[in-house]
Structures are given as C-alpha cells and as structure tokens.
C-alpha cells in the first residue's frame, strides 16, 4: 500500500516494477487497484485514477485509504471491490485575523463567521483532548498577545537618493549625504545599523 505526499509520486512505484504515468503516479482502476496487479491498492498522490482527477490534498488521500482498506476486506471475504468516488467536503482558508473564506457545497462565505468555523473544524480534526487543548491555548495566546505577525516574503528594493529624501523639517543634507551636521559624527549606515551589522 504505497502512499506518497507531494505533487510527484514516490520512486517506490517504479522500483516495484509498477507502470508509472504522468508525475510519477501509478495508473489505477476505479477501485484503486493497480492496473495488471489487482492485489496492489494505490492511494494518495501516488494514485492516478482512470478517468478521474481528484485533488492532491489530504482529504482525498484519507478517503482513498479508507476505501482501499474496505475493498481489501471485501476481497478477503470473497466479495467484489467497489469503485472509489471522491467526496468534496468543501474548502477553508484563513486569510488574516478574524478573516477566512469557506466553501461548503454551493455555499461560500467569508469574514468572522468563516474564521470561527475554520477554528472549530481544525480543532475537531485533531486527535485527542490534550492536543486540542494545547492548540487552543496556543491560538488564544497568539490571538490575545499578537504573538504571530504576518510573514511575507518580499523582494529587496535598492535604496537610492530618491527614496532617501529627508522628511520635512529634518536637518538639511543628513539623509542624502550621511553627514550628521555640527557634531561631526557619521550617520548610521543605511544598509545596517550604526554598529555595522
């Protein structure tokens, strides 16, 4: 029962001699059995279902894993394997403090209500009371004390004289020339601080 995480199938499929399709994924029948190898069930990102294109996300892999296990039990009891069908439960994303977007079936909404729903759904999917309590306390701490800031990766912008204009009322020529004026001290370096870091 090979399982892979990511956007490309794990190399174990090729090492096992299974046929590999696009993205290193194994073509499987609708029952999630490998083509030509009915004794092998393939699920998750490694599976490439015939005629389907399920999303490469954790809920799909979880549903496929449960379905494959049920099919194995059916086959062991002399039954027939049933085809897999992905059930989309919706999508959620938090986009900031008290802001989220939620899509459940045909309904989509955003804002504070979506954010609260996002919190409760994520807590509900955690295993064990201790984990839920730990995460809830951490989230509450971060929320109340603004511990987590937004983490953005932005390109560096070169500073030139046009950007370093002195604000109104500042000492003349300090921003452009780096001279501190009457005291004769050097102004801090623009690329770092005055300690030269």
């Amino acid at each position: 029962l090979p399982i892979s995480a990511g956007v490309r199938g794990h190399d174990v499929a090729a090492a096992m001699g299974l046929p590999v399709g696009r993205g290193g994924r194994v073509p499987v029948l609708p029952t999630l059995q490998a083509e030509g190898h009915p004794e092998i069930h393939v699920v998750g990102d490694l599976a490439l279902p015939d005629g389907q294109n399920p999303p490469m996300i954790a809920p799909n892999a979880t549903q496929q894993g449960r379905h494959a296990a049920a099919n194995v039990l059916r086959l062991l009891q002399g039954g027939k394997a049933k085809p897999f069908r992905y059930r989309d439960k919706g999508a959620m994303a938090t986009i900031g403090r008290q802001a989220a977007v939620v899509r459940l079936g045909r309904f989509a909404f955003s804002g504070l209500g979506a954010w609260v729903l996002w919190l409760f759904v994520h807590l509900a999917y955690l295993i064990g009371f201790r984990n839920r309590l730990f995460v809830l306390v951490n989230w509450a701490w971060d929320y109340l004390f603004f511990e987590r800031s937004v983490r953005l990766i932005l390109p560096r912008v070169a500073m030139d004289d046009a950007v370093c204009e002195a604000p109104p009322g500042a000492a003349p020529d300090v921003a452009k020339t780096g001279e501190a004026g009457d005291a004769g001290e050097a102004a801090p370096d623009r690329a770092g601080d005055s300690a030269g870091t």
Side-chain angles (χ1 to χ4, degrees):
L1 185 66
I3 299 174
S4 175
V7 295
R8 179 166 175 73
H10 195 276
D11 294 336
V12 71
M16 291 173 62
L18 294 174
V20 179
R22 73 173 197 268
R25 299 167 76 189
V26 178
V28 296
L29 302 172
T31 57
L32 301 178
Q33 294 168 296
E35 291 180 356
H37 296 279
E39 71 281 6
I40 298 176
H41 290 74
V42 185
V43 301
D45 292 348
L46 192 55
L48 182 60
D50 183 33
Q52 299 179 36
N53 192 19
M56 297 174 80
I57 56 176
N60 176 52
T62 304
Q63 289 177 31
Q64 285 182 345
R66 286 188 182 125
H67 187 81
N71 272 348
V72 168
L73 291 176
R74 280 187 201 96
L75 292 170
L76 289 174
Q77 295 169 354
K80 293 182 80 174
K82 293 184 178 179
F84 171 75
R85 185 164 183 259
Y86 174 65
R87 189 173 142 242
D88 186 5
K89 295 180 181 179
M92 300 179 146
T94 179
I95 55 174
R97 234 175 132 74
Q98 298 182 6
V101 291
V102 172
R103 180 190 47 81
L104 298 172
R106 295 180 299 147
F107 303 102
F109 55 100
S110 62
L112 179 62
W115 183 73
V116 171
L117 181 62
W118 180 91
L119 293 174
F120 282 111
V121 166
H122 280 75
L123 285 175
Y125 272 92
L126 291 176
I127 299 172
F129 177 75
R130 183 185 297 171
N131 288 336
R132 289 182 184 132
L133 183 63
F134 180 75
V135 169
L136 181 62
V137 168
N138 278 332
W139 283 353
W141 183 270
D142 291 343
Y143 180 80
L144 294 173
F145 297 106
F146 295 87
E147 287 292 318
R148 293 192 183 238
S149 60
V150 175
R151 296 180 181 128
L152 298 176
I153 299 173
L154 300 173
R156 291 184 182 235
V157 177
M159 294 182 66
D160 60 2
D161 288 341
V163 175
C164 297
E165 292 292 326
D173 297 326
V174 172
K176 281 190 157 189
T177 63
E179 298 172 5
D182 296 336
E185 298 174 356
D189 181 15
R190 293 270 182 250
D193 60 10
S194 59
T197 59

